[in-house]
Amino acid sequence: MTDVPEPELPRGIALAWGVAANPQRGPKREMSVERIVEAAVEIADADGLGAVSMAAVAARLGFTPMSLYRYVTAKDDLVLLMQEEATGLPSEEATSAGGWREQLTALYNEQVQMYLRHPWVLDIPISGSPVTPNSAAWMDAGLRALAETELTYEERLAVVLMVTGTSRWTGTVLAGYARTERERGIRGHDITVQEDALFRALISADGYPELRAAIEAGVFLDESDPFLFNLERSLDGVAAYIDRVTSEGRGPRSPWARLDDSEIMDDKKFREAQKAVRAAEKTLRDARKLERQAARIAHEHRARQRGDA
């Protein structure tokens, strides 16, 4: 592994981690990064992301826009911090909800609820993984749920991305229906009844035989959760894959095994070596957990010192 110089943190990322320099002048008690972000989130919750501007936030706080720039120098940074605030942290209930499958399902449900509380988050363009504390905590929680499985880190991350992608799509659809309910003043059930009526009026058995059969079966009036069904079937596949890897091993994927030499997978010493590797990986995960806890404590200590200064 080559040495990579430590990158210079963008202002928004530094603010999210609490390592950006504080302004030397300006209103101190009435103004803070936290208060600015809180006001921006309140505006977005009420009127959408498009209503958020430095001028609108300043007006809400009773200051001039220029005073905000002492704390948050760009709107992109503000949006990043808003997303971080809205994302929050996974609950203790979710991260201790049983086995890996129950934990991932709980994380999915909490993410969907976050999108319903703050639908404007869905309007923020995806330009990569947000390297912020709360976003990292969600990713860490998903990986931790899978830590005791036979999945590699790459496979665990792929499963976490599947869960977060499913939650985002679910949030997009449900937030859209919730917006329709608010704007039209009707209940969700009434919307589905209207949709069913439109499909029945427009979809013929001659032109769309399978879709018409589904309509006649009442598919658009069914109250089951299709999004949760998708997640559960995806997790079924993950569970089956874990079972296969656990029972059969990775076979040819091992650098010591040839395509025509599976006997090595049954060798006692080889199995013991694999067990030792898994134990070492667990020790490393525990050490990294302690490292993160120490970093968080140090961060909180520095924050208190800055507050006392």
Side-chain angles (χ1 to χ4, degrees), residues 43-263:
I43 293 172
D45 285 346
D47 301 311
L49 187 62
V52 176
S53 66
M54 301 298 270
V57 175
R60 191 178 188 90
L61 294 173
F63 293 98
T64 64
M66 286 305 299
S67 63
L68 266 64
Y69 285 105
R70 295 192 182 102
Y71 296 83
V72 182
T73 57
K75 183 180 177 182
D76 286 347
D77 294 340
L78 177 58
V79 172
L80 176 70
L81 295 172
M82 290 170 61
Q83 182 177 14
E84 174 75 354
E85 175 69 17
T87 298
L89 292 170
S91 71
E92 179 66 25
E93 291 78 7
T95 56
S96 59
W100 65 265
R101 183 166 183 150
E102 290 77 15
Q103 291 181 45
L104 292 180
T105 302
L107 291 171
Y108 158 85
N109 286 324
E110 289 194 357
Q111 289 172 353
V112 171
Q113 291 305 310
M114 181 275 290
Y115 288 127
L116 293 178
R117 289 193 303 272
H118 308 289
W120 50 268
V121 173
L122 296 163
D123 296 328
I124 300 175
I126 298 176
S127 57
S129 299
V131 189
T132 53
N134 289 349
S135 295
W138 283 92
M139 189 177 297
D140 185 77
L143 293 172
R144 188 164 65 250
L146 296 161
E148 301 303 320
T149 70
E150 295 294 324
L151 298 180
T152 65
Y153 279 110
E154 292 79 9
E155 291 166 343
R156 295 171 201 170
L157 182 59
V159 174
V160 171
L161 292 176
M162 179 274 293
V163 173
T164 57
T166 304
S167 69
R168 185 178 180 91
W169 171 240
T170 303
T172 298
V173 175
L174 296 185
Y177 273 93
R179 181 171 58 250
T180 300
E181 289 183 42
R182 292 192 303 270
E183 293 175 351
R184 295 171 56 182
I186 59 176
R187 298 179 305 163
H189 176 71
D190 294 332
I191 296 175
T192 58
V193 169
Q194 292 178 7
E195 290 178 340
D196 179 74
L198 283 173
F199 273 105
R200 289 179 183 276
L202 297 172
I203 302 301
S204 67
D206 292 337
Y208 312 91
E210 293 303 323
L211 179 55
R212 182 67 198 194
I215 295 170
E216 294 295 341
V219 66
F220 290 106
L221 298 175
D222 186 80
E223 295 183 358
S224 61
D225 187 342
F227 306 105
L228 186 58
F229 176 87
N230 290 337
L231 177 69
E232 289 175 343
R233 299 296 74 76
S234 296
L235 295 180
D236 284 346
V238 174
Y241 180 75
I242 291 174
D243 288 343
R244 181 171 66 81
V245 171
T246 302
S247 62
E248 301 177 10
R250 294 187 176 273
R253 289 190 179 186
S254 169
W256 297 281
R258 299 190 302 272
L259 289 175
D260 58 348
D261 191 10
S262 60
E263 290 85 357

